[in-house]
Amino acid sequence: MRKNSRLPNLHNLGIHLRILLIVNLLAMMAAILLSKQLSEFFTLLAQISALVQPILLLSMLGLYVLYPVLNKLKYWQGALIIVLLEISFTYLVFILISYYFAFDTTPEISRACLLSAIVTSIVLYYFYLQERAYSPAIAEARLQALQARIRPHFLFNSINAVLSLIRSQPKRAETALEDMADLFRVLMSENRDLVPLAQEISLCHQYLDLEKLRLEDRLKITWKIEDMPSDAMIPPLIMQPLLENAVYHGIEPMPEGGEIIVKIYTKLKELNIVINNPYAPQNDKHTGNKMALKNIEERLKLHFDLESSLKTNIKQNRYEVHIRIPEKV
C-alpha cells in the first residue's frame, strides 16, 4: 500500500524556485484575465505583484523556519497548517499595506485570504502530483535490486561459496549467510525514507563481501571515505546498485579482474559520491546498466529536486559515476 505523500522539502532551493515560478505565473494569469488592453495589463500586473511578492517572500521565510516541525506531522495536518499560515500571512501583509499604502484596486481582505488559500492549495497539489510521478521509482528500485539479487549468477554462486566454507571456515560461512539475510531484508523493505550514509556503506560492504567470495582476488576495492560525513542522509539503495554495475559490467568481463574505487567527500556543503571501475565494452556481454542509473536519478530528483545531480564519465578505460547531493536536508 502506498504511503501518504510527504510535504515538499521547504529547505530545498529547487522547491522555492518552483513556488516562485508557479505563484508569479498565477499572478500573471490573473492580470491577463482582469485586463482589457495591453497597457492595463502591465499596470494591473504591477499592482498585483506589489501585493503578492511581500506575501510570497514572508511565506517562504516562515515555512523554511517551520519546516522541521511541519515535516513531523501527517501530510494532511501539515498541509492544513500551511494553508492557515498563508491566510495569516496574507491578512498581516494586507493590514500593513492598507495602513502605509493606498491602491485603487486593492481587494477586500476576506477575498484576498480566500485567493491565498486557493493558490496555496494549487501549489501543494502540484507538489503532490510531482511526488506521485516520481514515487514509482522507489518501488521500481526495490524490484530491480531484488531481481538482481536473485539472479542465478549471484544467488547460486554465493550459496556454493558458502557451502565450500562451512567445514573449512565455519565462521566466515556464518558471516556470509548473515550478509545475505541482511541484503534481502533491506531489499524487501519499503526504502522510502532517507537513511544515514554509514548504513548504506555497511550494506555495500556486505554485498561486496559476498561478491568477493566468488571473484576472490579478481575483485579489488579501494575506499577513500576518510572525510565522509557518516550521518549525512541519502536515499537508500543508491550506492549498492552502482557497485553491482561496477562488478557486473567492469570486473566480471575481465579475466584478470580489476579495481573499484569508491570516493566520498564533502565540498561546498555538498556530499559527493564517486564510484570508478574498469571499462572494457568489448569484453562486456551484459546489457542494461542504464536502467539503474535512470532510476537513481529519478529518486534523487524526488528527494532533492534541483540540488542533486548524477553524471557519468568514461576516461582512460575507466567508467565513473558521480553523485552530488546536499549534505544537510
Side-chain angles (χ1 to χ4, degrees):
M1 182 179 295
R2 186 179 178 276
K3 293 184 178 180
N4 291 332
S5 299
R6 296 169 300 177
L7 292 172
N9 182 1
L10 297 170
H11 283 176
N12 187 286
L13 176 62
I15 297 295
H16 285 288
L17 289 175
R18 293 178 192 275
I19 293 173
L20 281 169
L21 181 61
I22 294 171
V23 174
N24 281 287
L25 283 175
L26 291 174
M28 186 177 297
M29 291 174 60
I32 292 173
L33 292 173
L34 295 174
S35 59
K36 297 180 180 179
Q37 52 188 2
L38 187 61
S39 59
E40 187 179 350
F41 163 74
F42 287 111
T43 301
L44 191 56
L45 179 61
Q47 291 180 348
I48 293 175
S49 296
L51 295 172
V52 168
Q53 301 309 321
I55 299 172
L56 182 57
L57 295 176
L58 180 62
S59 301
M60 291 170 64
L61 178 61
L63 293 177
Y64 181 92
V65 174
L66 294 173
Y67 176 67
V69 177
L70 295 172
N71 197 40
K72 295 178 181 178
L73 304 175
K74 294 180 180 179
Y75 176 75
W76 70 268
Q77 293 174 329
L80 179 60
I81 290 176
I82 289 175
V83 172
L84 293 176
L85 283 172
E86 291 305 311
I87 294 174
S88 302
F89 290 144
T90 302
Y91 183 84
L92 176 63
V93 169
F94 263 68
I95 290 294
L96 293 174
I97 287 178
S98 62
Y99 184 80
Y100 290 103
F101 304 97
F103 292 99
D104 295 335
T105 58
T106 302
E108 297 178 357
I109 291 182
S110 58
R111 183 179 298 179
C113 290
L114 176 61
L115 289 173
S116 177
I118 293 173
V119 170
T120 303
S121 299
I122 291 173
V123 173
L124 287 173
Y125 188 63
Y126 164 79
F127 286 114
Y128 169 80
L129 292 178
Q130 184 189 43
E131 194 265 352
R132 285 193 63 180
Y134 282 120
S135 284
I138 297 174
E140 183 184 344
R142 182 163 62 95
L143 178 60
Q144 288 176 7
L146 182 58
Q147 288 173 340
R149 293 288 69 72
I150 62 176
R151 281 199 310 258
H153 145 86
F154 175 84
L155 184 60
F156 294 160
N157 283 302
S158 295
I159 292 175
N160 287 333
V162 171
L163 290 174
S164 68
L165 294 171
I166 287 179
R167 291 186 178 181
S168 59
Q169 302 180 55
K171 186 63 179 177
R172 189 180 178 189
E174 180 182 352
T175 301
L177 288 174
E178 290 174 351
D179 289 341
M180 290 180 66
D182 288 340
L183 273 174
F184 275 97
R185 187 178 302 112
V186 172
L187 297 171
M188 292 298 292
S189 63
E190 283 293 331
N191 295 320
R192 182 170 292 273
D193 298 321
L194 300 176
V195 298
L197 176 60
Q199 181 176 319
E200 182 76 1
I201 294 294
S202 176
L203 180 71
C204 291
H205 277 296
Q206 291 175 315
Y207 165 72
L208 291 170
D209 286 345
L210 287 170
E211 290 287 25
K212 202 164 181 62
L213 288 176
R214 181 172 59 88
L215 298 171
E216 298 181 336
D217 292 338
R218 290 175 59 202
L219 174 59
K220 301 176 180 65
I221 307 291
T222 298
W223 295 89
K224 297 182 179 180
I225 57 176
E226 298 81 9
D227 300 324
M228 81 168 190
S230 300
D231 59 344
M233 303 299 289
I234 67 171
L237 294 176
I238 64 168
M239 288 185 62
Q240 187 274 333
L242 294 178
L243 287 171
E244 180 186 340
N245 276 349
V247 171
Y248 200 50
H249 299 280
I251 305 301
E252 266 192 28
M254 304 180 69
E256 70 279 11
E259 180 186 28
I260 298 174
I261 302 173
V262 181
K263 184 177 182 181
I264 304 177
Y265 61 94
T266 57
K267 184 178 180 181
L268 301 176
K269 296 184 179 181
E270 290 182 334
L271 178 67
N272 292 263
I273 302 173
V274 183
I275 298 178
N276 187 292
N277 60 267
Y279 181 73
Q282 67 276 10
N283 296 332
D284 188 8
K285 302 297 190 294
H286 309 304
T287 59
N289 60 331
K290 297 296 182 182
M291 189 178 296
L293 291 174
K294 183 177 183 296
N295 179 272
I296 292 170
E297 190 171 19
E298 288 180 351
R299 289 190 291 131
L300 289 173
K301 287 181 180 179
L302 173 63
H303 286 286
F304 307 112
D305 205 81
L306 300 178
E307 292 187 340
S308 67
S309 68
L310 186 153
K311 297 181 179 179
T312 60
N313 183 40
I314 300 173
K315 187 177 180 181
Q316 297 179 346
N317 295 324
R318 304 283 297 182
Y319 186 88
E320 182 175 280
V321 180
H322 187 166
I323 292 176
R324 179 183 58 81
I325 60 177
E327 182 180 355
K328 299 296 182 181
V329 295

